Amino acid sequence: MEKLDTKPWWKYGYVWLVIGGPLVVVIASFITLYLAITRPDAVIDDYYRKGMEINKTLSAEHDGMAPAMQARNHAATGMKPIEN
């Protein structure tokens, strides 16, 4: 007869390979939770001014598209774009 392998489950390497991945994720999540609780984000003092600067940046990006929009309109309608 064949001899059965009677080692306990923790002596098999594949068991630790399967358990190790999720265990590392759980430990990392607790470390992340600890860091999130102990080191809160600083409050932005002048959020309104920074928001206005973002809006200016976004409108400047839109203004750069004006020649392309005029060219598309010219191609679609057959009219010449107005020159500034």
Side-chain angles (χ1 to χ4, degrees), residues 11-53:
K11 292 199 177 187
Y12 292 98
Y14 290 115
V15 172
W16 291 110
L17 183 67
V18 170
I19 294 173
L23 184 64
V24 168
V25 172
V26 169
I27 291 170
S29 67
F30 280 116
I31 291 171
T32 304
L33 178 66
Y34 169 76
L35 291 175
I37 291 172
T38 59
R39 293 173 176 85
D41 293 335
V43 177
I44 299 174
D45 292 331
D46 197 5
Y47 66 91
Y48 181 76
R49 183 181 55 82
K50 292 183 181 193
M52 294 302 291
E53 290 175 5

Side-chain angles (χ1 to χ4, degrees), residues 71-81:
R72 283 191 202 118
N73 290 339
H74 173 64
T77 62
M79 298 176 61
K80 279 186 126 176

Side-chain angles (χ1 to χ4, degrees), residues 61-76:
E61 289 175 2
H62 180 68
D63 291 341
M65 292 296 292
M69 293 299 288
Q70 288 176 353
R72 283 191 202 118
N73 290 339
H74 173 64

Side-chain angles (χ1 to χ4, degrees), residues 1-7:
M1 293 199 95
E2 293 181 25
K3 186 177 179 184
L4 294 175
D5 195 9
T6 58
K7 291 192 295 188

